[in-house]
Amino acid sequence: MNLDFDTKVFEKEKIRIGDMDEYVVRGGRHLFPLLPRAFEGIKQIGVLGWSSQGPAQAQNLRDSLAGTDIKVKVGLRANSASIPHAEAVGFTQANGTLGEMFDVIAESDLVLLLIADGAQAQNYKEILAAIRPGATLGLSHGFLLGYLKSIGETFPANINVIAVCPKGMGPSVRRLYEQGKEVNGAGINSS
């Protein structure tokens, strides 16, 4: 098994775990200035859902990308009970950072799919159809890939698919990110 990857922006480090070599990028706020380069070509990141991972990832991205021209916009179902929760932390329709889920999908360069597994299975056709050709779908776990394989389907060939999988629940992802304001490098591991 090859656990290597290419990076043109961040410095990677080889570590040995047991009898396997793995590669990591160590985090820290000193890397924030590199984010515009890492997100080159991305003008809007759409974060879909507001359950466990949605609030954490949306706020962390917004805070990390502050001062850049990259917008983080939350996409929720029309009349979602989560709208007031997103608004309470600053994602609003008035400031252009909150919108209807399928509109956000269609206008985003990177779409983070953080809705419930059941909702992914129920809505995947509409979600995938709404993504612009050349855009990137971001997953935080392998459910949708496994589901598509189980029904003999695949992701569309005209989109990119990535996975950034935090090794913790959303509240801990946010809490450890905020701890990083005091302890550089604090955060949560991701695969």
Side-chain angles (χ1 to χ4, degrees):
M1 174 185 294
N2 183 3
L3 299 175
D4 196 2
F5 60 89
D6 292 322
T7 175
K8 294 179 176 89
V9 177
F10 301 105
E11 184 178 325
K12 71 178 179 180
E13 175 185 342
K14 182 167 79 170
I15 61 172
R16 186 126 183 113
I17 299 178
D19 61 348
M20 300 218 27
D21 289 334
E22 293 189 30
Y23 294 84
V24 299
V25 172
R26 294 190 189 271
R29 290 175 184 266
H30 64 286
L31 299 174
F32 284 9
L34 298 176
L35 292 176
R37 233 174 89 212
F39 285 108
E40 186 177 357
I42 304 290
K43 295 294 180 196
Q44 180 170 298
I45 301 171
V47 180
L48 307 183
W50 199 262
S51 55
S52 179
Q53 290 292 334
Q57 291 193 36
Q59 291 176 89
N60 291 359
L61 281 164
R62 179 193 59 199
D63 294 354
S64 298
L65 294 167
T68 73
D69 63 349
I70 301 170
K71 180 196 298 188
V72 177
K73 187 169 184 177
V74 173
L76 299 173
R77 290 175 287 107
N79 302 314
S80 168
S82 297
I83 291 172
H85 302 286
E87 290 174 335
V89 295
F91 292 98
T92 68
Q93 290 181 340
N95 69 17
T97 59
L98 177 64
E100 190 279 327
M101 183 171 79
F102 288 100
D103 292 340
V104 172
I105 293 169
E107 66 191 28
S108 296
D109 304 299
L110 170 59
V111 176
L112 302 182
L113 184 59
L114 303 176
I115 62 176
D117 295 350
Q120 289 183 30
Q122 188 175 40
N123 296 294
Y124 77 92
K125 286 183 182 179
E126 294 86 359
I127 291 167
L128 296 176
I131 297 176
R132 289 193 326 259
T136 300
L137 174 64
L139 306 173
S140 283
H141 58 61
F143 172 80
L144 188 56
L145 173 62
Y147 179 73
L148 291 176
K149 283 185 173 187
S150 77
I151 60 172
E153 294 195 33
T154 60
F155 293 108
N158 65 352
I159 67 168
N160 305 299
V161 180
I162 62 170
V164 177
C165 308
K167 300 299 182 189
M169 298 297 292
S172 62
V173 170
R174 182 64 179 165
R175 186 179 63 253
L176 291 169
Y177 175 90
E178 289 182 323
Q179 184 183 37
K181 293 175 185 173
E182 305 296 324
V183 180
N184 189 41
I188 199 155
N189 293 339
S190 294
S191 294

